[in-house]
Amino acid sequence: PNLLLRYGFDEFWEIQFGWAGENRVDLGSSTIRGATDVSIGVKRSLDIHSDATALALLATVSLPTGNRAFSSDSVAPSVGLLWSHETNLSWFGTALVGESDGDIVLSNGIGLSFSVASKTGAYLEFVTQVPEGRGPAHTLNGGLSFTPQNNIQWDVYGGTGLNDRAADWFVGAGFAIRL
């Protein structure tokens, strides 16, 4: 399971700690298991003076802390732009550039979010990751968020790969608090 802890220390800045958890890969006659790398990051919301559109910059660094089979074995930075736009539908997306195992990786996503109940939201997202020199990996994921108070959010999500280059499936959970 994936884990992302976020701490917003004002209306513009957030720090993040992430861990993609324990991985398991079945290879037919054997199975490889192990922990993945952890990441730290910072997100800065941009004040663009729009009620309908929000933008943020994200910078993260993955640290080589995982099991040998699931680690990049080096510090792997990434930067990106996050956006959302509220119209009749609530759209959101990402455009990220990162490094993994010495290769540049482009990652783009687009999704829709919507309200399920007064304190519960949901989303559906399509993501494409394109590692340098290899073909794209496509995934579809969705999740639920619960906001019991204005400064606290819990979320769960899961997804599936849409082609052979993507993970078969994944799940995760998150927690955010803004003080």
Side-chain angles (χ1 to χ4, degrees), residues 81-100:
L81 177 71
L82 314 175
W83 62 268
S84 65
H85 185 71
E86 302 284 331
T87 58
N88 295 353
L89 299 172
S90 297
W91 294 92
F92 65 91
T94 58
L96 302 171
V97 177
E99 186 270 331
S100 179

Side-chain angles (χ1 to χ4, degrees), residues 97-119:
V97 177
E99 186 270 331
S100 179
D101 295 326
D103 293 331
I104 301 296
V105 179
L106 303 176
S107 179
N108 292 292
I110 188 166
L112 288 170
S113 61
F114 47 92
S115 179
V116 175
S118 66
K119 297 181 179 189

Side-chain angles (χ1 to χ4, degrees), residues 157-178:
Y157 59 92
T160 186
L162 300 177
N163 64 1
D164 290 341
R165 293 182 188 97
D168 290 338
W169 60 273
F170 55 91
V171 296
F175 173 74
I177 186 168
R178 182 175 294 130

Side-chain angles (χ1 to χ4, degrees), residues 12-45:
F12 295 107
W13 290 95
E14 176 179 290
I15 55 175
Q16 300 180 350
F17 173 81
W19 182 52
E22 186 84 11
N23 273 355
R24 175 183 160 173
V25 176
D26 292 320
L27 301 172
S29 62
S30 65
T31 300
I32 299 173
R33 289 183 163 195
T36 60
D37 293 342
V38 299
S39 67
I40 56 173
V42 62
K43 183 171 85 172
R44 170 68 159 98
S45 296

Side-chain angles (χ1 to χ4, degrees), residues 40-52:
I40 56 173
V42 62
K43 183 171 85 172
R44 170 68 159 98
S45 296
L46 302 176
D47 188 2
I48 60 169
H49 307 290
S50 171
D51 292 336

Side-chain angles (χ1 to χ4, degrees), residues 2 123-125 140-144 156-160 169-173:
N2 291 327
Y123 79 93
L124 186 62
E125 178 183 32
L140 184 65
N141 68 83
L144 294 170
V156 295
Y157 59 92
T160 186
W169 60 273
F170 55 91
V171 296

